Amino acid sequence: MPAVSKGDGMRGLAVFISDIRNCKSKEAEIKRINKELANIRSKFKGDKALDGYSKKKYVCKLLFIFLLGHDIDFGHMEAVNLLSSNKYTEKQIGYLFISVLVNSNSELIRLINNAIKNDLSSRNPTFMCLALHCIANVGSREMAEAFASEIPRILVAGDTMDSVKQSAALCLLRLYKTSPDLVLMGEWTSRVVHLLNDQHMGVVTAAISLITCLSQKNPDEFKTCVSLAVSRLSRIVSSASTDLQDYTYYFVPAPWLSCKLLRLLQCYPPPEDGAVKGRLVECLETILNKAQEPPKSKKVQHSNAKNAILFEAISLIIHYDSEPNLLVRACNQLGQFLQHRETNLRYLALESMCTLASSEFSHEAVKTHIETVINALKTERDVSVRQRAADLLYAMCDRSNAKQIVAEMLSYLETADYSIREEMVLKVAILAEKYAVDYSWYVDTILNLIRIAGDYVSEEVWYRVIQIVINRDDVQGFAGSYLLFSPIISGRCVVPLVQFNLLHSKFHLCSVPTRALLLSAYIKFINLFPETKVTIQEVLRCDSQIRNSDVELQQRAVEYLKLSSIASTDVLATVLEEMPPFPERESSILAKLKKKKGPGAVSVTELDDSKREGGELNGGGERAADTAAMAASNASTPSPSADLLGIRSSAPMGAAPAAAGSLLVDVFSEAGPAAPAAAVNNDGFLRFVCKNNGVLFENQLLQIGIKSEYRQNLGRMYLFYGNKTSVQFASFSTTVSCPGELTPQLNVQSKPVEPLVEGGAQIQQVLNIECLSDFSDAPLLNIKFRYGGALQNLTLKLPVTINKFFQPTEMTSQDFFQRWKQLRSALLDNVDPNPENYVCAGVIQTKGQQVGCLLRLEPNAQAQMYRLTLRCSKESVSKRLCELLSQQF
Amino acid sequence: MRFLLLFSRQGKLRLQKWYTPLTEREKKKIIRDMTTMVLARQPRSCNFLHWKDLKIIYKRYASLYFCLGVESQENELLALEVIHRYVELLDKYFGNVCELDIIFNFEKAYFILDEFLMGGEVQETSKQTINRCIENSDMLQETMEEYMSKPAF
């Protein structure tokens, strides 16, 4: 039975809706709808012209059917006709239909735009508002093109009614969001800012949304809004709850406007004008004070509105991050909320504290709530609150409490909801890595993590753990590159066979890539512990391996089985020789967590942090050939990583430059795994002076990656040519040449590459490089190919530089300075062993001769300058090294 | 604000309002996700959820769930009061509003919403002002007598 309709109901519509509701089944409903659609279609097509009312009724029925979830493919024209009706209700239904069922039909849009234009110029505020609503609801590009210049005029015109101003402001905001290029700043912009002073609170409320959005994009042009917003806010905050009449919401004066003002202020730094700033701080203090006052009403609406302003004020305080007093007060206030009986407030307090935790002023204050937060993680009934608690623990974690937090998170994981386990695992893995002081704690934690939530340990975590373990010197003693698993287990038992059994017991739970790694680990077991051979061969031989449906696993099983039975122990040992450490790169788990949303996601600074600290943990890989140069070149890089170098100032001078350098190799060679493409070829070249791997060149078609390794006077470079398009490259050829005097100095040999590179494919080329004598120029790589018929020709400098052939040398302080003096030119006399300075020693290996090099880098922190001195047994070498290294700073 | 959905305890959608352009497919996906997520919540849980990069704020009034999707920097408590104010406006207009009022007068529910929010932003918060607007537009409409004389089909 139809509910009573107020005003002008449509009886036919009510009957139809009632019919639909009475349908006993989905089929009956569809039948009824089809009957109605047929009826409407025939009415629309009929010879008799429909009156406005019928048209409105049928259009409304169509709308109802559409909102039930059925497709509507007619009636648009009739709806457009309604727009030009003189009757308000018909026009209104027409606009509603258009707003809900936008049609991209350009013919129709033109008609709609015409109707809108008429209504906008009608000077009838009700019609104008309808038209503005329609523009805002549809918000298409065509509409923006038609009206973007008209609406600002309506907005600032002196005779525009308040209600129209409100609609115009928000309509313009919508157009600005969809087509910012079409909304041109102009004379109106300054007048818009002054709407903040408007007497009508509704106009201010609407206009401020527009101003906030415009300020975000053009902060300078809208700067004046700061002082206006502060004085408006101050007036509201200090007003009695009845002053604002209907804009007081449950005894809270203008909560929406207050929050929007506070949000607008978050687009700007703290006001420079002392008076304005003083007034604002006063407002913020008043808001914080009000939170302590007894509530004026028991209604939840009152406390919600009041606290909405409080949270927005806290956001502003955090945004400024410059008023320690306010930050600590904010933190204390949130601390009270952590134990509030309202779940919503506990949730928001946890969320808000996450951001406070990242401020240096309030980090410690946040940490004092650790027990409450841990308790929330354990006892909150609502999973989303628990999730916020986990986020906050993650955010407040530092060296001092890492062990406690990680332990709590681990124990929570045992009972955690499935929906958040994966994220929790990532967080534990990241914290364990970031704050690992000793290696055994890290391994213990990860081991526990795997035990508790093995199913949720994603590949990224596995890979990361492998990377870290492999890059550790002390684990490398275990030999065998993928033997991560072995050291973990060997903490508990030493018998290799038992180790193997333990490892294998988890095999069936692992994903295919992990299983592949495990198979490789098995063959290494055979190599290291011959007594496991029989057992492992049996495992490899069983059907589930050798007939595995996965090609990769099957191939590994077959090959390893064969290898273990044919190859002699010597051959086996050679084949399975230790691999060099992984090049350091951004932690895959951080990347994964970043992809996840939510405030718990990692901020950029955290990422930097963990790169830095992760680096410490990962350092100490095998020495790269260009260690010495690298250490020096990084020594005064003004990057956030610079403080890492602090570690080395305490190292005995001269005694361990190479070792300290090798720590840095891993940290810095990651300078960007996806280093931005080099448009200028020389740029790419320079980036590789101190690193061996990365992307040398990239444009829309082609990406060239490099991996290189050097030993003594020999080098090998792998070039990876990736076709970024979906189209084949034809006649692909590359040539490497040594121009001019480089020919007798450097010998580069390459094998030709396949002439076809399929779309999306990558091909590899190996270059063998021999350094005959010292050199200054770089070899050139020329690449030619046809892409869609057009010949592409590209020449790049190959990053082969003299410093790649360094062999690091260890020497004591005494030795160093003895040699230093021997190589001295007349420039320096007294050299103080200043611990701030970095020294490196190395020998450049060429076929013809060896060139000894000593390097000193003397930073001057005050002047933000440094002095780099190189002394080599050959002058041309010092010159070239200086050129190369100085460009790195 | 990105969207507002009203649905019943049985998951029947009663009103949908979108403030960013989306395809029908995307809309259906969101509707499905929201109804399953919100209806699965325990009573006395908090009213906020994270979903993709959005915050979801929902509240139940009698048999109807009101569900708002907002950008991550928006204020949850205020969003909750946006819902409440809308309920108050409906209540004032229909007088003790119930789900049936919204089903049979869905177009009115849209019109009232449009007076309150526009393009996903609060346009006017004063209950008096909004009610005056709605009443004025009702004045422009025909009388009950005319209504009863209209054909049923």
Side-chain angles (χ1 to χ4, degrees), chain A residues 732-767:
Chain A
F732 191 89
S733 74
T734 66
T735 40
V736 179
S737 57
C738 294
E741 55 181 24
L742 191 60
T743 318
Q745 296 167 337
L746 199 69
N747 179 14
V748 183
Q749 292 176 336
S750 60
K751 288 199 187 114
V753 288
E754 289 292 324
L756 287 182
V757 186
E758 296 297 338
Q762 190 185 60
I763 58 165
Q764 182 189 334
Q765 184 178 31
V766 185
L767 305 182

Short mmCIF file of all heavy atoms in Angstrom, two decimals, chain A residues 732-767:
data_model
loop_
_atom_site.label_atom_id
_atom_site.label_comp_id
_atom_site.label_asym_id
_atom_site.label_seq_id
_atom_site.Cartn_x
_atom_site.Cartn_y
_atom_site.Cartn_z
N PHE A 732 67.58 -5.48 -35.51
CA PHE A 732 68.18 -4.95 -34.28
C PHE A 732 69.66 -5.29 -34.28
O PHE A 732 70.05 -6.44 -34.43
CB PHE A 732 67.48 -5.58 -33.08
CG PHE A 732 67.81 -4.92 -31.77
CD1 PHE A 732 67.06 -3.85 -31.29
CD2 PHE A 732 68.89 -5.35 -31.02
CE1 PHE A 732 67.37 -3.24 -30.10
CE2 PHE A 732 69.21 -4.74 -29.82
CZ PHE A 732 68.45 -3.69 -29.36
N SER A 733 70.50 -4.27 -34.18
CA SER A 733 71.93 -4.57 -34.13
C SER A 733 72.63 -3.58 -33.22
O SER A 733 72.18 -2.45 -33.04
CB SER A 733 72.54 -4.50 -35.53
OG SER A 733 72.65 -3.16 -35.92
N THR A 734 73.70 -4.04 -32.61
CA THR A 734 74.45 -3.17 -31.73
C THR A 734 75.94 -3.28 -32.07
O THR A 734 76.41 -4.34 -32.46
CB THR A 734 74.29 -3.57 -30.26
OG1 THR A 734 74.89 -4.85 -30.08
CG2 THR A 734 72.84 -3.63 -29.85
N THR A 735 76.65 -2.17 -31.95
CA THR A 735 78.10 -2.23 -32.12
C THR A 735 78.75 -1.43 -31.00
O THR A 735 78.23 -0.40 -30.58
CB THR A 735 78.53 -1.60 -33.47
OG1 THR A 735 77.75 -0.43 -33.68
CG2 THR A 735 78.39 -2.54 -34.61
N VAL A 736 79.87 -1.94 -30.55
CA VAL A 736 80.62 -1.24 -29.52
C VAL A 736 81.92 -0.78 -30.13
O VAL A 736 82.61 -1.56 -30.80
CB VAL A 736 80.89 -2.15 -28.32
CG1 VAL A 736 81.69 -1.41 -27.27
CG2 VAL A 736 79.59 -2.66 -27.74
N SER A 737 82.25 0.47 -29.97
CA SER A 737 83.49 0.94 -30.55
C SER A 737 84.30 1.71 -29.51
O SER A 737 83.75 2.27 -28.56
CB SER A 737 83.19 1.86 -31.74
OG SER A 737 82.38 2.93 -31.31
N CYS A 738 85.60 1.70 -29.70
CA CYS A 738 86.48 2.46 -28.83
C CYS A 738 87.07 3.59 -29.65
O CYS A 738 87.97 3.38 -30.45
CB CYS A 738 87.60 1.58 -28.28
SG CYS A 738 86.99 0.32 -27.19
N PRO A 739 86.56 4.79 -29.50
CA PRO A 739 86.99 5.87 -30.37
C PRO A 739 88.41 6.35 -30.04
O PRO A 739 88.84 6.28 -28.88
CB PRO A 739 85.98 6.98 -30.08
CG PRO A 739 85.49 6.69 -28.71
CD PRO A 739 85.58 5.22 -28.51
N GLY A 740 89.06 6.80 -31.06
CA GLY A 740 90.35 7.49 -30.92
C GLY A 740 91.39 6.70 -30.16
O GLY A 740 91.61 5.51 -30.41
N GLU A 741 91.97 7.36 -29.17
CA GLU A 741 93.10 6.74 -28.49
C GLU A 741 92.66 5.67 -27.50
O GLU A 741 93.49 5.06 -26.85
CB GLU A 741 93.92 7.82 -27.77
CG GLU A 741 93.08 8.68 -26.82
CD GLU A 741 93.92 9.77 -26.14
OE1 GLU A 741 94.96 10.17 -26.69
OE2 GLU A 741 93.52 10.18 -25.05
N LEU A 742 91.37 5.45 -27.42
CA LEU A 742 90.89 4.41 -26.51
C LEU A 742 91.22 3.01 -27.06
O LEU A 742 91.37 2.06 -26.29
CB LEU A 742 89.37 4.57 -26.31
CG LEU A 742 88.71 3.75 -25.21
CD1 LEU A 742 89.32 4.09 -23.86
CD2 LEU A 742 87.21 3.99 -25.18
N THR A 743 91.31 2.91 -28.38
CA THR A 743 91.51 1.61 -29.01
C THR A 743 92.69 0.83 -28.41
O THR A 743 92.50 -0.33 -28.03
CB THR A 743 91.69 1.76 -30.53
OG1 THR A 743 90.75 2.73 -30.97
CG2 THR A 743 91.50 0.46 -31.26
N PRO A 744 93.86 1.43 -28.27
CA PRO A 744 94.94 0.62 -27.68
C PRO A 744 94.83 0.49 -26.16
O PRO A 744 95.62 -0.23 -25.55
CB PRO A 744 96.20 1.42 -28.05
CG PRO A 744 95.73 2.82 -28.20
CD PRO A 744 94.34 2.74 -28.72
N GLN A 745 93.88 1.20 -25.55
CA GLN A 745 93.82 1.19 -24.09
C GLN A 745 92.82 0.18 -23.54
O GLN A 745 92.96 -0.32 -22.44
CB GLN A 745 93.44 2.60 -23.57
CG GLN A 745 94.47 3.64 -23.89
CD GLN A 745 93.95 5.05 -23.67
OE1 GLN A 745 92.75 5.28 -23.69
NE2 GLN A 745 94.88 5.98 -23.47
N LEU A 746 91.78 -0.04 -24.34
CA LEU A 746 90.69 -0.86 -23.83
C LEU A 746 90.27 -1.82 -24.93
O LEU A 746 90.16 -1.44 -26.08
CB LEU A 746 89.50 0.06 -23.46
CG LEU A 746 88.45 -0.50 -22.54
CD1 LEU A 746 89.02 -0.67 -21.16
CD2 LEU A 746 87.25 0.45 -22.49
N ASN A 747 90.03 -3.04 -24.53
CA ASN A 747 89.63 -4.04 -25.51
C ASN A 747 88.23 -4.51 -25.13
O ASN A 747 88.02 -5.04 -24.05
CB ASN A 747 90.66 -5.17 -25.48
CG ASN A 747 90.29 -6.26 -26.47
OD1 ASN A 747 89.43 -6.05 -27.33
ND2 ASN A 747 90.93 -7.40 -26.34
N VAL A 748 87.26 -4.27 -26.03
CA VAL A 748 85.88 -4.68 -25.73
C VAL A 748 85.40 -5.66 -26.80
O VAL A 748 85.47 -5.35 -27.99
CB VAL A 748 84.92 -3.47 -25.69
CG1 VAL A 748 83.52 -3.93 -25.31
CG2 VAL A 748 85.41 -2.42 -24.74
N GLN A 749 84.98 -6.81 -26.35
CA GLN A 749 84.47 -7.79 -27.31
C GLN A 749 83.01 -8.10 -27.03
O GLN A 749 82.62 -8.20 -25.87
CB GLN A 749 85.28 -9.08 -27.18
CG GLN A 749 86.71 -8.89 -27.64
CD GLN A 749 87.51 -10.15 -27.42
OE1 GLN A 749 87.19 -10.96 -26.58
NE2 GLN A 749 88.58 -10.28 -28.21
N SER A 750 82.26 -8.21 -28.10
CA SER A 750 80.84 -8.52 -27.88
C SER A 750 80.38 -9.55 -28.90
O SER A 750 80.94 -9.66 -29.98
CB SER A 750 80.00 -7.25 -28.02
OG SER A 750 80.17 -6.73 -29.32
N LYS A 751 79.38 -10.27 -28.53
CA LYS A 751 78.76 -11.20 -29.47
C LYS A 751 77.58 -10.48 -30.12
O LYS A 751 76.91 -9.69 -29.47
CB LYS A 751 78.24 -12.43 -28.72
CG LYS A 751 79.34 -13.32 -28.23
CD LYS A 751 78.79 -14.71 -27.91
CE LYS A 751 79.85 -15.57 -27.27
NZ LYS A 751 79.57 -15.92 -25.89
N PRO A 752 77.31 -10.78 -31.38
CA PRO A 752 76.15 -10.12 -32.01
C PRO A 752 74.85 -10.58 -31.35
O PRO A 752 74.79 -11.66 -30.77
CB PRO A 752 76.22 -10.59 -33.47
CG PRO A 752 77.09 -11.79 -33.46
CD PRO A 752 78.02 -11.66 -32.29
N VAL A 753 73.83 -9.72 -31.44
CA VAL A 753 72.54 -10.07 -30.83
C VAL A 753 71.56 -10.52 -31.90
O VAL A 753 71.76 -10.30 -33.09
CB VAL A 753 71.93 -8.86 -30.08
CG1 VAL A 753 72.71 -8.60 -28.82
CG2 VAL A 753 71.88 -7.64 -30.96
N GLU A 754 70.50 -11.13 -31.46
CA GLU A 754 69.42 -11.55 -32.36
C GLU A 754 68.84 -10.33 -33.07
O GLU A 754 68.61 -9.30 -32.43
CB GLU A 754 68.30 -12.22 -31.56
CG GLU A 754 68.62 -13.57 -31.00
CD GLU A 754 68.79 -14.63 -32.07
OE1 GLU A 754 68.06 -14.56 -33.08
OE2 GLU A 754 69.66 -15.48 -31.90
N PRO A 755 68.59 -10.45 -34.37
CA PRO A 755 68.10 -9.27 -35.09
C PRO A 755 66.63 -8.93 -34.79
O PRO A 755 66.16 -7.86 -35.16
CB PRO A 755 68.27 -9.64 -36.55
CG PRO A 755 68.28 -11.12 -36.57
CD PRO A 755 68.84 -11.58 -35.26
N LEU A 756 65.90 -9.84 -34.16
CA LEU A 756 64.49 -9.55 -33.88
C LEU A 756 64.27 -9.47 -32.37
O LEU A 756 64.69 -10.36 -31.63
CB LEU A 756 63.58 -10.65 -34.44
CG LEU A 756 63.41 -10.68 -35.95
CD1 LEU A 756 62.46 -11.80 -36.35
CD2 LEU A 756 62.90 -9.35 -36.47
N VAL A 757 63.61 -8.40 -31.94
CA VAL A 757 63.21 -8.32 -30.53
C VAL A 757 61.70 -8.21 -30.49
O VAL A 757 61.13 -7.21 -30.92
CB VAL A 757 63.85 -7.11 -29.83
CG1 VAL A 757 63.54 -7.16 -28.34
CG2 VAL A 757 65.33 -7.05 -30.06
N GLU A 758 61.07 -9.23 -29.98
CA GLU A 758 59.60 -9.23 -29.93
C GLU A 758 59.09 -8.15 -28.98
O GLU A 758 59.81 -7.74 -28.07
CB GLU A 758 59.09 -10.60 -29.46
CG GLU A 758 59.39 -11.75 -30.39
CD GLU A 758 58.75 -11.63 -31.76
OE1 GLU A 758 57.73 -10.88 -31.89
OE2 GLU A 758 59.27 -12.25 -32.71
N GLY A 759 57.84 -7.75 -29.21
CA GLY A 759 57.23 -6.77 -28.30
C GLY A 759 57.22 -7.29 -26.88
O GLY A 759 56.89 -8.44 -26.64
N GLY A 760 57.63 -6.44 -25.96
CA GLY A 760 57.62 -6.83 -24.55
C GLY A 760 58.78 -7.73 -24.16
O GLY A 760 58.93 -8.06 -22.99
N ALA A 761 59.60 -8.13 -25.12
CA ALA A 761 60.67 -9.07 -24.80
C ALA A 761 61.95 -8.34 -24.42
O ALA A 761 62.11 -7.15 -24.65
CB ALA A 761 60.93 -9.99 -25.99
N GLN A 762 62.84 -9.10 -23.82
CA GLN A 762 64.13 -8.53 -23.45
C GLN A 762 65.21 -9.45 -23.96
O GLN A 762 65.11 -10.66 -23.83
CB GLN A 762 64.20 -8.43 -21.91
CG GLN A 762 65.39 -7.64 -21.45
CD GLN A 762 65.51 -7.66 -19.93
OE1 GLN A 762 65.63 -8.70 -19.32
NE2 GLN A 762 65.48 -6.48 -19.34
N ILE A 763 66.24 -8.86 -24.57
CA ILE A 763 67.35 -9.71 -24.96
C ILE A 763 68.60 -9.24 -24.25
O ILE A 763 68.69 -8.11 -23.78
CB ILE A 763 67.57 -9.72 -26.49
CG1 ILE A 763 67.82 -8.31 -27.00
CG2 ILE A 763 66.41 -10.36 -27.21
CD1 ILE A 763 68.39 -8.28 -28.39
N GLN A 764 69.57 -10.16 -24.20
CA GLN A 764 70.74 -9.90 -23.39
C GLN A 764 71.98 -9.95 -24.27
O GLN A 764 72.05 -10.71 -25.23
CB GLN A 764 70.80 -10.98 -22.31
CG GLN A 764 71.94 -10.82 -21.36
CD GLN A 764 72.07 -12.03 -20.44
OE1 GLN A 764 71.11 -12.73 -20.18
NE2 GLN A 764 73.27 -12.28 -19.98
N GLN A 765 72.94 -9.12 -23.96
CA GLN A 765 74.20 -9.18 -24.68
C GLN A 765 75.32 -9.11 -23.65
O GLN A 765 75.24 -8.36 -22.67
CB GLN A 765 74.31 -7.98 -25.64
CG GLN A 765 75.55 -8.02 -26.50
CD GLN A 765 75.61 -6.86 -27.47
OE1 GLN A 765 75.11 -5.79 -27.18
NE2 GLN A 765 76.20 -7.08 -28.63
N VAL A 766 76.36 -9.88 -23.90
CA VAL A 766 77.48 -9.89 -22.95
C VAL A 766 78.69 -9.21 -23.59
O VAL A 766 79.02 -9.47 -24.74
CB VAL A 766 77.86 -11.34 -22.59
CG1 VAL A 766 78.93 -11.32 -21.51
CG2 VAL A 766 76.64 -12.10 -22.11
N LEU A 767 79.30 -8.32 -22.86
CA LEU A 767 80.53 -7.69 -23.34
C LEU A 767 81.67 -8.13 -22.44
O LEU A 767 81.54 -8.14 -21.21
CB LEU A 767 80.43 -6.16 -23.26
CG LEU A 767 79.27 -5.47 -23.95
CD1 LEU A 767 79.40 -3.96 -23.78
CD2 LEU A 767 79.23 -5.82 -25.42
#
